[in-house]
Amino acid sequence: MTDVVLDASALMAFLHSEPGADKVAKVLSDAVISAVNFSEVLKKKTVESLHGAKYFVEFRQDRHLICQAV
């Protein structure tokens, strides 16, 4: 079990290379995110791009990001 639980703002900071992205990057492979927070990020990314859903499928495979409901 992990000690790191991401919220939507942390994952958005990572995806946009905003302040704090480096801290998220260090723990990303061991982190979890709730379904509610992940759906918020997915919604925001989908609004930003028509390919939002595809982006996350590729992101999860490339970065080995595993999202679990907490």
Side-chain angles (χ1 to χ4, degrees), residues 11-55:
L11 188 53
M12 289 297 291
F14 173 77
L15 293 172
H16 289 241
S17 299
E18 295 174 349
D22 56 330
K23 292 179 182 179
V24 175
K26 290 178 185 176
V27 299
L28 189 60
S29 64
D30 295 322
V32 295
I33 188 168
S34 72
V36 172
N37 278 295
F38 186 69
S39 66
E40 180 182 342
V41 174
L42 184 59
K43 178 183 175 262
K44 288 179 180 181
K45 294 305 292 179
T46 301
V47 168
E48 291 175 10
S49 169
L50 295 176
H51 303 291
K54 182 179 178 184
Y55 175 85

Side-chain angles (χ1 to χ4, degrees), residues 38 55-68:
F38 186 69
Y55 175 85
F56 271 92
V57 170
E58 292 171 358
F59 178 78
R60 290 178 69 185
Q61 291 172 353
D62 293 345
R63 300 290 178 108
H64 306 289
L65 175 64
I66 300 171
C67 299
Q68 301 173 348

